[in-house]
Amino acid sequence: MRLKIGVFASHGGSNMQAIIDACRDGTIDGEVSVVICNNSTAYAVDRARAAGIPVYHLSGSNYPDADDLDEAMLLVLEKHKVNLVVLAGYMKKMSPAILKKFSNRVLNIHPALLPRHGGSGMYGMKVHEAVIADEDTETGATVHLVNDKYDDGSILGQVVVKVEEEDTPDILAKKVLPQEHMLYVETLRRIASGELKI
Ligand code: GRF
């Protein structure tokens, strides 16, 4: 299926950027149709604007009622004819209403080899800190389907990154992020081409 991707982001948006670029250079048969950000000052918002992609700030700050927020998000996804939701550094839990509407059509990336170092409270540097604290010899990234639990849905793809003795959480974060970009792009390419059925 030609993908019409709705990206949810909260921060820098480097994964989102990699996906936009891969759609535009033809690697992924699809396009990023819309971006939803819960943080109006996130760099992801600037990136989306620079790419000429519609971007919406939707969060508890402008929609204090959770049902209203769900409705606003669903309207935006429908308006832009989204057929796949991609969470890229999105720091909020997806609501059951969106998961129901986009059943098996919501993906997330996690900066570790799930099921290791996943679950509630495991995000960002906390993940890399846990890898170092546990003296893991390898880490990486995982793209998975999103369900109602944190970091729990079916795994669609993983990439392994070797942990060296001198690595710190900061070094690991810098090593893993470019691998995330490649993994997300490759997973979406496989979905768009039909190689990977979800
Ligand atoms: C990535 O490490 C992602 O795995 C995590 O948050 C980071 C987001 O980076 N969930 P970016 O916003 O895509 O640059």
Side-chain angles (χ1 to χ4, degrees):
M1 67 174 165
R2 184 171 159 78
L3 300 182
K4 287 186 72 69
I5 299 168
V7 174
F8 282 67
S10 298
H11 294 301
S14 68
N15 277 287
M16 177 193 79
Q17 187 71 57
I19 294 164
I20 292 170
D21 294 347
C23 289
R24 291 189 171 171
D25 74 15
T27 305
I28 297 169
D29 182 18
E31 65 184 290
V32 175
S33 307
V34 66
V35 173
I36 292 176
C37 202
N38 65 318
N39 168 8
S40 62
T41 61
Y43 189 47
V45 172
D46 300 332
R47 288 184 191 267
R49 289 206 179 111
I53 295 171
V55 53
Y56 295 78
H57 170 226
L58 300 178
S59 75
S61 64
N62 46 15
Y63 289 91
D65 182 283
D67 290 340
D68 291 348
L69 179 60
D70 283 353
E71 195 184 323
M73 287 176 170
L74 285 167
L75 274 174
V76 164
L77 296 173
E78 195 179 326
K79 176 173 179 208
H80 294 279
K81 302 190 167 40
V82 166
N83 57 19
L84 191 76
V85 171
V86 165
L87 311 186
Y90 185 62
M91 302 308 288
K92 293 275 171 199
K93 203 166 185 190
M94 263 294 104
S95 81
I98 294 179
L99 292 176
K100 188 170 171 215
K101 178 88 186 183
F102 286 85
S103 173
N104 281 340
R105 287 285 178 284
V106 183
L107 273 60
N108 182 42
I109 190 155
H110 185 77
L113 294 172
L114 291 175
R116 276 192 80 62
H117 307 304
S120 179
M122 288 304 274
Y123 56 87
M125 287 305 285
K126 289 177 197 288
V127 175
H128 304 299
E129 282 161 9
V131 169
I132 298 289
D134 285 3
E135 300 181 2
D136 291 1
T137 55
E138 49 183 39
T139 184
T142 304
V143 172
H144 63 95
L145 288 175
V146 175
N147 63 16
D148 59 346
K149 300 189 199 78
Y150 281 110
D151 304 322
D152 182 69
S154 304
I155 290 174
L156 303 178
Q158 289 189 310
V159 60
V160 174
V161 172
K162 205 166 173 302
V163 182
E164 308 289 350
E165 254 177 52
E166 63 277 15
D167 283 349
T168 61
D170 201 46
I171 292 173
L172 273 192
K174 290 194 171 78
K175 279 189 187 175
V176 169
L177 190 60
Q179 297 298 320
E180 291 183 40
H181 300 161
M182 282 193 276
L183 177 68
Y184 229 160
V185 165
E186 174 59 8
T187 307
L188 292 167
R189 184 197 68 71
R190 290 169 64 216
I191 291 170
S193 72
E195 267 169 62
L196 178 61
K197 306 265 183 253
I198 56 172

